[in-house]
Amino acid sequence: NAGENLLEVNNIEVIYNHVILVLKGVSLNVPKGSITAILGGNGAGKTTTLKAISNLLQSERGEVTKGTILHMNENVAELNPSALVKRGVIQVMEGRHCFEHLTVEENLLTGAYTRTDGKAAINADLEMVYDYFPRLKERRKSQAGYTSGGEQQMVAMGRALMSRPDMILLDEPSMGLAPQLVEQIFEIVKKVNEQEGVTFLLAEQNTNVALRYAHYGYILENGRVVMDGPAAELRENPDVKEFYLGMS
Ligand code: ATP
């Protein structure tokens, strides 16, 4: 039904190395079908929030010590990352993480590894990814390690799409990209959201671009949500303008 939350994060605390309290009670809702943005400066806790959701903290010696994480009203805090992928939630990590020695196309196909619906369906989705990212079709035989930062971001997103997710957690898609390319990436996020119905939760330091594409935003500071609201309202908020949009 309309207005249903695909994901609910309730008052989570995250501690690294048993002592460093980084998230101090973060709550957020991700409505089904939305693009929801987590905003905030360097070190605010955006990446930690995404990793807490997708259960990727363990390798960083981090743990959720308080609060709950619900996906479709079920607690997923104890699930391992691959179980979450099976539930349709996939994370695209900051810094892209392509398999550098594989070709672009081989990278995309690795995204389909959990699927059991056969080669024809997978090939059809490869074509879908190439429709969203024509540049990747041109580069499909190239070794991923030799493609540009923007192309690697596209590979990482394309690989995520190959798992046919309901929800993508997208960490800092604009990082290190020229403004024009950032715009292109967000245009594709919007298109995938509208055409495939994929829900996005994205972490982004570039408040300006994120608030133009997201429906809803949460601003994190020092491990706490300090403000949240519909993106259109946040864009007009004087504090957001002064501190995050670089104009008052
Ligand atoms: P960035 O844009 O730099 O990724 P962020 O908002 O995503 O910023 P996080 O990466 O979540 O912030 O980091 C939040 C805080 O947690 C920072 O102070 C960071 O130093 C700390 N932190 C992150 N990872 C670890 C770790 N593995 N061990 C200890 N502290 C960590």
Side-chain angles (χ1 to χ4, degrees), residues 122-153:
I122 289 172
N123 281 336
D125 284 346
L126 198 55
E127 287 310 313
M128 167 200 63
V129 169
Y130 288 146
D131 283 344
Y132 284 112
F133 302 100
R135 183 67 188 151
L136 294 187
K137 189 163 191 173
E138 290 167 24
R139 300 287 266 148
R140 68 186 188 281
K141 304 268 187 237
S142 306
Q143 217 176 302
Y146 291 113
T147 63
S148 70
E151 287 161 355
Q152 289 184 21
Q153 180 65 50

Side-chain angles (χ1 to χ4, degrees), residues 7-83:
L7 191 83
E8 290 183 23
V9 174
N10 300 307
N11 204 24
I12 57 166
E13 271 184 13
V14 169
I15 296 183
Y16 284 113
N17 288 313
H18 304 293
V19 286
I20 312 165
L21 178 64
V22 167
L23 297 189
K24 303 163 184 169
V26 168
S27 298
L28 54 89
N29 292 331
V30 184
K32 192 169 163 53
S34 71
I35 301 174
T36 300
I38 305 174
L39 307 163
N42 217 328
K46 303 182 298 297
T47 298
T48 300
T49 304
L50 293 187
K51 285 188 172 168
I53 295 166
S54 49
N55 237 314
L56 292 169
L57 285 173
Q58 223 161 22
S59 57
E60 314 251 348
R61 298 180 53 76
E63 58 178 330
V64 178
T65 52
K66 213 178 121 181
T68 58
I69 299 169
L70 304 179
H71 173 245
M72 294 171 41
N73 295 317
E74 281 175 45
N75 187 13
V76 291
E78 305 291 320
L79 290 185
N80 62 34
S82 67

Side-chain angles (χ1 to χ4, degrees), residues 37 39-40 207 217-221 224-228 234 240 244:
L39 307 163
T207 310
Y218 289 85
I219 300 181
L220 278 189
E221 263 175 34
R224 288 195 173 89
V225 175
V226 292
M227 209 185 301
D228 67 283
L234 291 177
V240 176
Y244 291 99

Side-chain angles (χ1 to χ4, degrees), residues 157-217:
M157 290 169 64
R159 193 175 62 200
L161 282 176
M162 288 301 293
S163 73
R164 273 278 168 198
D166 296 327
M167 177 172 195
I168 296 181
L169 309 175
L170 188 55
D171 198 359
E172 209 80 56
S174 80
M175 195 176 66
L177 302 184
Q180 204 189 343
L181 214 47
V182 171
E183 213 66 46
Q184 247 186 59
I185 294 286
F186 273 86
E187 282 294 335
I188 293 165
V189 167
K190 184 177 170 203
K191 234 167 126 179
V192 170
N193 171 254
E194 287 173 355
Q195 296 178 6
E196 310 298 324
V198 174
T199 302
F200 282 87
L201 176 61
L202 56 91
E204 189 49 73
Q205 279 198 46
N206 188 333
T207 310
N208 188 355
V209 73
L211 284 182
R212 277 190 287 112
Y213 287 92
H215 304 113
Y216 206 89

Side-chain angles (χ1 to χ4, degrees), residues 81-101:
S82 67
L84 212 59
V85 174
K86 288 204 186 96
R87 290 180 68 97
V89 181
I90 190 151
Q91 174 150 3
V92 177
M93 292 207 267
E94 188 174 49
R96 288 111 208 187
H97 299 281
C98 295
F99 299 104
E100 296 189 354
H101 299 291

